[in-house]
Amino acid sequence: GYGADLIASVARRVVAVDYDPPTVAHVRRRYPRVQVVAANLAALPMPDASVDVVVNFQVIEHLWDQPQFITECLRVLRPGGLLAISTPNRITFTPGSDVPLNPFHTRELNAAELRELLEDGGFEVRSMSGVFHSPALAEMDARHGGSIIEAQIVRAVAHAPWAPELLADVAAVRYEDFEIVSEERRDIDASLDLLAIAVRP
């Protein structure tokens, strides 16, 4: 809900969609300016051509039917509407394997696969960028055995509490710790995450 609330600070209206009832209840309590709906992303609860922008950050890798979600995004967007989507880069997030490191991910994508998914779904890709970590985040990774993300996953799978050092490091991460670089400026296959901006024709 915190990301939807940030968007609500600049958008006229924000509708958040989540499948998990406790998450929906949490967002309703904590973020009153966000309208939250319990629904499946494979069947978005909005009319055709009713939305200006769909924002999907770090979600598509959790979905079983990624093409169906893209079809739904195209359906609800107005002509000229934008889809902003970010996802872990399979090449660097789960190197050398098609099986995701994160047990909560169903399928991770590289840049070419993300572009193909969007274009096959009827979108025009306007930009494809990579999200790179700052030296401060690289230091955090080193402190947590090579990956602060893997340290979180291991504890989540084991239902174990986070060590105070891990909690403090995660809480210290800021947007300045990331650099978004377009594929025209740098090889985004080396990025940890991907960011695509696509438009409904």
Side-chain angles (χ1 to χ4, degrees), residues 62-76:
H62 296 274
L63 303 180
W64 287 105
D65 194 343
Q66 294 172 351
Q68 174 60 26
F69 170 66
I70 297 301
T71 297
E72 280 293 281
C73 291
L74 191 75
R75 179 186 67 77
V76 302

Side-chain angles (χ1 to χ4, degrees), residues 32-186:
R33 63 184 172 181
V34 174
Q35 178 187 345
V36 63
V37 179
N40 191 322
L41 294 182
L44 292 172
M46 281 80 119
D48 294 358
S50 63
V51 174
D52 294 318
V53 179
V54 173
V55 178
N56 185 259
F57 285 167
Q58 308 302 101
V59 174
I60 197 164
E61 64 275 7
H62 296 274
L63 303 180
W64 287 105
D65 194 343
Q66 294 172 351
Q68 174 60 26
F69 170 66
I70 297 301
T71 297
E72 280 293 281
C73 291
L74 191 75
R75 179 186 67 77
V76 302
L77 281 166
R78 294 182 177 99
L82 295 178
L83 170 61
I85 187 165
S86 74
T87 189
N89 179 6
R90 178 177 54 79
I91 294 172
T92 56
F93 197 79
T94 305
S97 176
D98 287 337
V99 178
L101 165 73
N102 187 327
F104 304 107
H105 291 180
T106 61
R107 177 183 176 224
E108 294 170 355
L109 306 161
N110 63 30
E113 292 163 340
L114 178 57
R115 180 183 296 279
E116 180 180 21
L117 180 67
L118 293 168
E119 290 176 346
D120 286 353
F123 281 93
E124 294 175 4
V125 176
R126 288 282 169 89
S127 68
M128 185 73 68
S129 301
V131 181
F132 293 86
H133 284 188
S134 69
L137 288 180
E139 290 174 16
M140 284 184 191
D141 281 338
R143 280 199 297 275
H144 298 284
S147 171
I148 192 170
I149 295 168
E150 189 172 348
Q152 294 170 65
I153 293 168
V154 166
R155 283 158 184 80
V157 169
H159 302 288
W162 288 9
E165 300 81 16
L166 177 61
L167 187 59
D169 276 348
V170 170
V173 174
R174 299 288 178 257
Y175 73 90
E176 297 94 343
D177 292 320
F178 302 91
E179 183 183 10
I180 299 172
V181 183
S182 72
E183 63 184 346
E184 291 81 22
R185 290 183 42 224
R186 187 168 172 186

